[in-house]
Amino acid sequence: MKIEQKLIKVRDVFNGYVDNDDDGVFAYGGKLAIRPAYQREFVYILEQAEAVIHTVLKGFPLNVMYWVKVGDDEFEILDGQQRTLSVMQYLEHQFPITLDGNKYYWDALPDDKFNSIMDYEFMIYVCEGEESEKLEWFRVVNIAGEKLTDQELRNSVYTGEWLSDAKRYFSKRNCAAKGLSDKYITGDPNRQELLEKALKGICDYQGMKDITEYMAKHKSDKDADELWQYFQDVINWIMKIFPQYYADMKGLDWCCLYNKYHKNTYNSSDMKDEVKRLHEDEDVQKPKGIYEYLLSRDFDPFAEKHLKIRVFSERDKLDAYSKQDGICPICKQHFEYKEKEGDHIIPWSKGGHTTPENCQMLCKDCNRKKSNI
Ligand SMILES: [Zn+2]
């Protein structure tokens, strides 16, 4: 891993500055991607941008910036994007600054002030190395800088055609993946959270150990079609199995559910009726668990755990205990209250509810044996 310190004048960075919107923002004679295509939006507010210009005008230091070497003479900004853009946008006449109560666009500045901006030197660390080394180092750098998400960090290392294509689907507020999945999957596409979820899902699906392994393997692919198809499969599968939409479907780990259950067959109209019935069941205390419960109940004896079925209140249990005179109805032994547990006489799965009439107190042994049947 090589890290080189450079001082580069604003004048040189501004040379060839071009903002192509979605297709990226470039500068430094076209050699620097300030913002690669489909990257995070510019999020500085005006006061922050103005504060950067005042810092530069006074000749005070800005924090160190980090560039990544991505080609022979090509770079991407890892850290410092917003500070750099503030200066570039000021020089592009996009906002004025206030000096002594007056507004000044760049072209109204006195020459000496204008030149002090153009001659200001950014302090930059340029880094070059293996991807795994870079990722490691970026994580450390990121502790101090403008916080990047884990996926933004990975994106700054595994660049290439695959990534540009993946961002086309998964990045930006109005991207295709957001439009398709918004009702089911949470995550800010601008911060690469949606891309991260899709990647996490496909890694798990293919038995890969983590996202970096997948990105390293595919970074030179000509497109991200495999990932995009996988993601569409997940969403289409949800809509097929659970045709009726409920708001509590949003935010579940659907990729994980798809990976676990998509090979099974389910009848969608049965599912529809069951989802409705369970939503109406007051003993179901975790409605978000309804979907995994239904997907797994045919082969997981503990599927009910997803629903958090209401337990008996202390009052119901005390009533049942005194009605039974402390005797366990199965083994007929006497036990102290503390040694017994509340049990559904008719199990919840067979239609019994968490009501006083359906409560009995069993000793712990009998209760365990009963639930293992
Ligand atoms: Zn017993």
Side-chain angles (χ1 to χ4, degrees), residues 185-197:
I185 295 182
T186 52
D188 180 354
N190 284 332
R191 301 307 306 268
Q192 312 303 323
E193 289 167 356
L194 208 50
L195 176 61
E196 183 175 44
K197 285 193 177 167

Side-chain angles (χ1 to χ4, degrees), residues 328 330-332 335 362-363 366:
C328 168
I330 296 182
C331 63
K332 314 292 181 202
F335 290 90
L362 298 184
C363 75
C366 290

Side-chain angles (χ1 to χ4, degrees), residues 43-55 86 95-97:
V43 287
Y44 253 21
I45 49 173
L46 206 55
E47 291 93 90
Q48 288 172 307
E50 196 179 336
V52 171
I53 306 303
H54 281 292
T55 307
S86 297
F95 61 92
I97 56 162

Side-chain angles (χ1 to χ4, degrees), residues 94-360:
Q94 294 196 10
F95 61 92
I97 56 162
T98 307
L99 284 173
D100 308 321
N102 298 313
K103 301 262 183 216
Y104 287 88
Y105 282 90
W106 71 270
D107 50 355
L109 285 177
D111 281 354
D112 62 322
K113 286 205 164 20
F114 174 70
N115 285 328
S116 68
I117 296 180
M118 292 304 254
D119 291 331
Y120 184 88
E121 290 176 324
F122 287 145
M123 199 210 274
I124 291 152
Y125 286 147
V126 177
C127 80
E128 190 183 348
E130 292 296 312
E131 283 146 353
S132 56
E133 295 174 316
K134 280 196 228 163
L135 194 59
E136 180 80 4
W137 183 69
F138 292 173
R139 286 219 166 95
V140 176
V141 169
N142 192 41
I143 294 165
E146 295 145 11
K147 275 279 188 192
L148 297 179
T149 62
D150 283 348
Q151 190 55 41
E152 284 171 332
L153 282 172
R154 289 184 207 105
N155 288 359
S156 57
V157 173
Y158 297 97
T159 51
E161 277 186 72
W162 176 87
L163 181 65
S164 300
D165 199 45
K167 282 181 178 169
R168 204 158 63 80
Y169 294 117
F170 291 96
S171 211
K172 293 236 168 229
R173 216 172 10 259
N174 56 358
C175 63
K178 186 74 181 164
L180 179 70
S181 69
D182 199 31
K183 283 159 70 182
Y184 305 103
I185 295 182
T186 52
D188 180 354
N190 284 332
R191 301 307 306 268
Q192 312 303 323
E193 289 167 356
L194 208 50
L195 176 61
E196 183 175 44
K197 285 193 177 167
L199 280 167
K200 196 164 158 277
I202 202 168
C203 286
D204 175 46
Y205 185 73
Q206 298 186 350
M208 284 195 178
K209 79 175 187 317
D210 57 25
I211 295 176
T212 45
E213 186 185 346
Y214 186 91
M215 289 181 80
K217 186 173 165 205
H218 291 278
K219 70 179 162 80
S220 308
D221 291 2
K222 68 179 190 341
D223 58 43
D225 197 54
E226 180 188 72
L227 179 67
W228 177 229
Q229 283 196 20
Y230 164 79
F231 193 73
Q232 292 177 89
D233 286 346
V234 173
I235 307 298
N236 291 335
W237 175 78
I238 306 170
M239 295 193 287
K240 253 181 354 195
I241 308 285
F242 299 110
Q244 174 78 45
Y245 181 75
Y246 287 85
D248 59 16
M249 293 168 98
K250 181 156 180 162
L252 296 176
D253 192 346
W254 284 109
C255 291
C256 174
L257 294 174
Y258 171 83
N259 294 349
K260 267 158 95 174
Y261 303 113
H262 79 284
K263 287 200 178 126
N264 307 322
T265 47
Y266 301 95
N267 180 294
S268 65
S269 52
D270 292 350
M271 289 301 231
K272 193 174 156 190
D273 295 344
E274 282 294 85
V275 173
K276 182 167 185 290
R277 178 181 72 80
L278 291 167
H279 271 114
E280 287 164 358
D281 187 330
E282 288 179 1
D283 293 335
V284 173
Q285 296 202 298
K286 194 183 162 205
K288 267 186 172 305
I290 288 174
Y291 309 96
E292 181 154 20
Y293 167 74
L294 290 174
L295 291 167
S296 65
R297 67 174 173 182
D298 288 345
F299 42 85
D300 178 3
F302 303 105
E304 263 175 52
K305 67 176 183 271
H306 299 296
L307 300 174
K308 289 216 172 2
I309 297 301
R310 186 194 307 276
V311 295
F312 289 106
S313 66
E314 223 38 39
R315 193 204 165 118
D316 290 347
K317 291 197 286 187
L318 279 164
D319 283 353
Y321 182 81
S322 64
K323 237 188 282 171
Q324 295 166 212
D325 293 325
I327 307 290
C328 168
I330 296 182
C331 63
K332 314 292 181 202
Q333 305 288 312
H334 182 272
F335 290 90
E336 293 304 314
Y337 177 73
K338 274 194 205 143
E339 299 168 315
K340 300 179 86 177
E341 292 167 344
D343 170 63
H344 290 78
I345 300 170
I346 303 168
W348 177 84
S349 57
K350 305 227 158 60
H353 286 286
T354 311
T355 49
E357 320 78 77
N358 196 32
C359 178
Q360 64 181 355

